[in-house]
């Protein structure tokens, strides 16, 4: 999608392969700086996922796929399968909730195992990882096309966290319908939840919308109910990190659940936008990542051009920091996917489509 630079507006993807290097927009620097990170091997790519240089379900999924390719391309002919299995465990252990990571790592791993020999495995892994990246970008575009039809002219839309193109290879999930509606000439306004503690809304979503010239305002996380009650929000669209196919339970950034409950209380449609790679066909439970308490106790910002980290509580304070919460499908109007829009009670149809293919 578009990035305003000193030399004009340029199109960027969130991450890509250059030879054996993974290159990605460093999301720890946005919005204050624009920098491309280079990860030379699977361990560096795994660390970029863990420390959130790259984040968002779709983007970490493709980072995982590229990481497996990096691993096979530096493996030894005699024990490459053993090496790849270890690399897959290492990559999967970085972040437990987002299903796309497991989906993509396992996809490339299977491709390697199915290959006849080491040379074939390297070629097949590259092809598979690039296919997944392309599919990820296209899924976002399709989600945009389906979701755009739900957006009327002058709609005011609430979104939480960042489920934009930075969370994918391109386009995004929750923001894709907004981008498509803008391109279709509709006027829009986006309420951007700041999304404590990592502030993906204030830092990343607002930056994406600024680059796409879409009107928006960052709101404190606890202000959404106020605007819903005043009738100033027409719909909510959020992304997802993992959706259980059998019952539609949806894990997304912490705070999503309370927005969904508030939306139902205020008769506001609440949509979850996600590619089918986010749907978990097997699990019965969703592991919730607990992150460092420092993310709650300190806030980073731009202080006169200097990026500064400041404490916001007393020096002995302790904090708890669950990264995601789970929303029951009774609060979800429908799931917007690249295969179409599905009400929660129609997920069986989507499951059949995925199993039949
Ligand atoms: O912790 P993050 O920034 O990886 O969490 C991201 C989200 O919760 C997104 O809403 C989700 O991944 C869906 S789309 C990228």
């Amino acid at each position: 999608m578009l990035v305003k630079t000193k030399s004009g507006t340029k199109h960027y993807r969130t991450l890509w392969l250059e030879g054996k290097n993974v290159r990605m927009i460093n999301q720890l620097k946005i919005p204050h700086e624009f920098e491309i990170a280079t990860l030379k091997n699977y361990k560096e790519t795994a660390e970029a996922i863990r420390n959130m240089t790259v984040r968002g379900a779709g983007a970490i999924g493709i980072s995982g796929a590229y990481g497996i390719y990096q691993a096979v391309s530096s493996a030894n002919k005699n024990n490459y399968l053993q090496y790849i299995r270890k690399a897959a465990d290492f990559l999967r252990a970085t972040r437990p909730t987002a299903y796309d990571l497991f989906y993509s790592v396992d996809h490339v791993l299977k491709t390697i195992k199915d290959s006849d020999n080491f040379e074939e495995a390297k070629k097949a892994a590259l092809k598979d990882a690039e296919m997944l990246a392309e599919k990820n970008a296209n899924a976002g575009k399709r989600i945009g096309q389906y979701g755009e039809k739900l957006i009327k002219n002058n709609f005011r839309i609430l979104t939480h966290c960042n489920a934009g193109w930075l969370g994918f290879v391109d386009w995004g999930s929750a923001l894709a319908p907004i981008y498509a509606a803008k391109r279709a000439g509709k006027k829009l306004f986006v309420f951007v939840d700041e999304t404590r503690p990592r502030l993906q809304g204030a830092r990343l979503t607002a930056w994406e919308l600024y680059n796409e010239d879409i009107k928006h305002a960052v709101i404190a996380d606890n202000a959404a109910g106020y605007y819903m009650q005043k009738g100033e929000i027409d719909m909510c669209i959020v992304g997802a990190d993992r959706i259980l196919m059998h019952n539609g339970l949806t894990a997304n950034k912490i705070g999503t659940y309370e927005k969904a409950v508030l939306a139902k209380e205020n008769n506001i449609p609440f949509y979850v936008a996600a590619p089918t790679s986010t749907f978990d066909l097997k699990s019965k439970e969703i592991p919730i990542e607990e992150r460092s308490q420092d993310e709650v106790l300190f806030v980073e910002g731009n202080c006169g051009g200097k990026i500064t980290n400041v404490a916001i509580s007393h020096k002995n304070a302790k904090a708890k920091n669950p990264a995601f919460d789970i929303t029951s499908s009774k609060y979800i109007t429908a799931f917007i996917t690249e295969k179409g829009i599905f009400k929660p009670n129609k997920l069986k149809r989507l499951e059949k489509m995925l199993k039949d293919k």
Side-chain angles (χ1 to χ4, degrees):
M1 299 292 284
L2 302 178
V3 178
K4 290 177 183 167
T5 71
K6 282 185 191 130
S7 52
T9 301
K10 285 195 189 155
H11 178 264
Y12 274 93
R13 282 188 162 189
T14 302
L15 73 161
W16 62 94
L17 261 184
E18 256 176 46
K20 289 177 190 165
N21 290 338
V22 177
R23 306 211 68 206
M24 55 177 63
I25 295 175
N26 185 343
Q27 300 193 38
L28 297 171
K29 303 275 178 174
I30 287 177
H32 312 301
E33 289 164 35
F34 186 77
E35 184 188 280
I36 307 298
T38 304
L39 296 322
K40 294 191 281 303
N41 54 53
Y42 84 85
K43 287 200 172 159
E44 288 187 8
T45 301
E47 177 55 19
I49 300 171
R50 198 200 55 74
N51 71 20
M52 295 175 73
T53 299
V54 62
R55 34 61 54 204
I60 65 178
I62 301 309
S63 304
Y66 285 160
I68 294 290
Y69 163 66
Q70 288 179 305
V72 74
S73 57
S74 63
N76 183 309
K77 185 179 171 185
N78 299 320
N79 66 351
Y80 72 95
L81 283 177
Q82 201 187 350
Y83 184 78
I84 296 307
R85 279 195 204 100
K86 258 180 68 182
D89 288 345
F90 195 78
L91 284 156
R92 285 195 211 96
T94 51
R95 298 200 69 191
T97 304
Y99 188 65
D100 283 76
L101 178 62
F102 298 82
Y103 173 88
S104 300
V105 164
D106 291 344
H107 205 285
V108 185
L109 191 63
K110 181 172 183 311
T111 300
I112 291 172
K113 284 187 193 155
D114 290 349
S115 302
D116 291 338
N117 57 50
F118 182 50
E119 288 311 317
E120 289 304 316
K122 284 195 276 188
K123 279 190 225 145
L126 174 61
K127 202 169 154 206
D128 198 38
E130 289 295 36
M131 181 280 291
L132 289 172
E134 223 33 59
K135 211 172 135 187
N136 180 281
N138 288 334
K141 192 167 185 188
R142 295 290 294 155
I143 288 170
Q145 288 162 347
Y146 282 116
E148 183 265 318
K149 296 187 176 65
L150 301 167
I151 299 175
K152 297 201 178 108
N153 195 29
N154 291 318
F155 252 27
R156 298 151 303 174
I157 303 165
L158 177 91
T159 190
H160 191 69
C161 193
N162 173 264
W165 65 272
L166 289 170
F168 285 81
V169 172
D170 210 349
W171 282 93
S173 55
L175 296 192
I178 293 171
Y179 294 140
K182 166 85 188 330
R183 281 162 177 63
K186 293 177 192 171
K187 291 204 182 84
L188 305 163
F189 185 84
V190 183
F191 286 90
V192 180
D193 288 343
E194 59 173 347
T195 318
R196 284 275 294 147
R198 300 266 326 193
L199 301 171
Q200 289 94 329
R203 297 176 68 127
L204 307 176
T205 299
W207 181 83
E208 282 194 28
L209 295 170
Y210 154 76
N211 279 290
E212 287 283 330
D213 289 321
I214 293 173
K215 287 197 178 128
H216 62 281
V218 177
I219 59 169
D221 284 328
N222 37 16
Y226 169 78
Y227 287 109
M228 288 190 193
Q229 212 174 34
K230 289 204 333 161
E232 292 188 25
I233 294 176
D234 300 299
M235 77 191 297
C236 305
I237 318 182
V238 300
D241 284 85
R242 189 186 296 232
I243 302 164
L244 295 188
M245 184 64 99
H246 78 282
N247 61 7
L249 277 188
T250 296
N252 191 48
K253 182 52 57 195
I254 192 78
T256 300
Y257 164 63
E258 59 189 46
K259 303 299 176 285
V261 175
L262 279 173
K264 193 167 178 79
E265 169 69 16
N266 289 281
N267 291 316
I268 297 166
F270 189 91
Y271 290 96
V272 172
T276 51
S277 52
T278 305
F279 286 77
D280 181 344
L281 277 71
K282 291 194 196 117
S283 304
K284 295 281 171 268
E285 277 175 29
I286 305 180
I288 297 295
E289 177 182 7
E290 182 78 30
R291 293 188 62 87
S292 160
Q293 59 174 350
D294 286 355
E295 293 182 352
V296 176
L297 296 173
F298 295 85
V299 172
E300 188 194 79
N302 185 345
C303 183
K306 193 166 177 276
I307 308 304
T308 314
N309 215 16
V310 296
I312 58 163
S313 191
H314 65 88
K315 68 179 187 322
N316 296 318
K318 298 269 176 280
K320 287 182 181 292
N321 187 13
F324 302 98
D325 60 24
I326 296 180
T327 300
S328 156
S329 63
K330 72 178 178 192
Y331 298 111
I332 297 168
T333 308
F335 296 95
I336 310 170
T337 78
E338 80 277 19
K339 306 245 176 246
I341 299 174
F342 297 84
K343 292 202 169 126
N345 63 3
K346 295 284 185 258
L347 283 183
K348 277 266 161 287
R349 197 153 61 84
L350 177 61
E351 183 172 11
K352 190 168 177 323
M353 280 166 87
L354 298 184
K355 284 186 172 159
D356 286 351
K357 93 168 172 22

